[in-house]
Amino acid sequence: MSGEHGGQPFDSAKWKRLESEERLAKMPPSALAEAMALQGSETVVDVGCGTGFFAEPIARRCNHYIGVDHSAEMLDVFRKKSFISVLGNISLERAKADRLPIGTDVCDIAFHVALLHEIPDLVAFHDELKRVLKPQGRLYAVDWKANETEGGPPLDHRVSRERAVELLERDGFEIVDQPDIYADQYVIVAKPRS
Ligand SMILES: C[S@@+](CC[C@H](N)C(=O)[O-])C[C@H]1O[C@@H](n2cnc3c(N)ncnc32)[C@H](O)[C@@H]1O
């Protein structure tokens, strides 16, 4: 199924693109981990985690990292990573983004990267994120800026920063920050509106 914004599902055969040296240099996962200002006690869910490109620096700084993806192939690549057994606080779950296998009010942080354009029903997705987040929890929504970049989905499939803010506010989130940490992607930090 294509996303609400016309995006096509990610082709898992192309997973190596997500792990490239170029991506690591342009979009270091540690920058997102630092922006989260983790204290070590948090439960963090990475929705649409893919191969776990963002997992290691975040899992190192939190209590429990949960990676969720609907693709068995992507999770298989992730499961082979050696840091999983070293860190011992990583759980991987195969599930849809709008049916997370997580209890209510469990997560301190939910985040997703390069996912929005693939989600068929953003209202249901946002409702699910609000359900799993603690009342004081934070969502980090990270996605492609809607301007020409090297790589990334076609421009007309992207959910722009402005549209993402509009959708989050429509769906019961309050925007608390927009740290400028990546050249080609925006980061929106939001909390459930009380
Ligand atoms: C472009 S990849 C990004 C992966 C990872 N977030 C990263 O930035 O490296 C998008 C991922 O979202 C997953 N995905 C897409 N739609 C999903 C859905 N509805 N539920 C769960 N996972 C989904 C895909 O299988 C894929 O692994």
Side-chain angles (χ1 to χ4, degrees):
M1 195 188 297
S2 66
E4 187 171 303
H5 286 257
Q8 293 305 306
F10 184 77
D11 178 358
S12 59
K14 296 182 179 155
W15 67 266
K16 283 191 177 156
R17 286 189 192 174
L18 297 172
E19 299 273 323
S20 70
E21 287 299 320
E22 190 195 355
R23 187 178 192 217
L24 196 60
K26 279 192 96 170
M27 196 185 192
S30 56
L32 184 59
E34 279 159 27
M36 289 176 179
L38 296 161
Q39 304 295 307
S41 58
E42 297 87 353
T43 296
V44 179
V45 59
D46 177 355
V47 186
C49 62
T51 58
F53 181 76
F54 286 87
E56 185 175 7
I58 290 171
R60 277 192 191 282
R61 292 168 167 85
C62 74
N63 180 50
H64 187 195
Y65 165 100
I66 308 168
V68 179
D69 204 287
H70 67 178
S71 162
E73 292 83 3
M74 299 296 270
L75 289 172
D76 282 348
V77 176
F78 193 162
R79 271 195 202 94
K80 293 192 178 88
K81 295 195 165 173
S82 56
F83 63 76
I84 294 181
S85 58
V86 174
L87 295 179
N89 65 345
I90 293 179
S91 311
L92 298 183
E93 304 278 356
R94 186 176 180 203
K96 293 276 183 200
D98 58 2
R99 299 279 305 268
L100 297 172
I102 298 174
T104 298
D105 293 351
V106 164
C107 297
D108 301 280
I109 290 186
F111 77 100
H112 55 81
V113 182
L115 177 70
L116 275 181
H117 64 286
E118 293 192 43
I119 297 292
D121 180 350
L122 285 167
V123 173
F125 177 48
H126 286 154
D127 280 349
E128 186 65 341
L129 293 174
K130 283 186 291 181
R131 185 186 68 76
V132 302
L133 276 170
K134 293 177 181 173
Q136 300 307 317
R138 293 283 184 275
L139 168 66
Y140 285 70
V142 185
D143 228 293
W144 289 92
K145 294 177 182 171
N147 45 261
E148 290 295 345
T149 53
E150 273 177 44
L155 280 185
D156 60 347
H157 290 177
R158 299 184 189 189
V159 180
S160 69
R161 177 199 295 272
E162 295 71 22
R163 180 70 178 139
V165 165
E166 196 175 281
L167 293 167
L168 284 164
E169 289 177 339
R170 175 197 73 182
D171 295 342
F173 283 92
E174 180 185 333
I175 311 304
V176 295
D177 198 8
Q178 298 194 51
D180 191 16
I181 57 174
Y182 296 133
D184 293 343
Q185 288 84 11
Y186 56 81
V187 179
I188 301 171
V189 188
K191 65 175 186 179
R193 209 180 293 128
S194 46

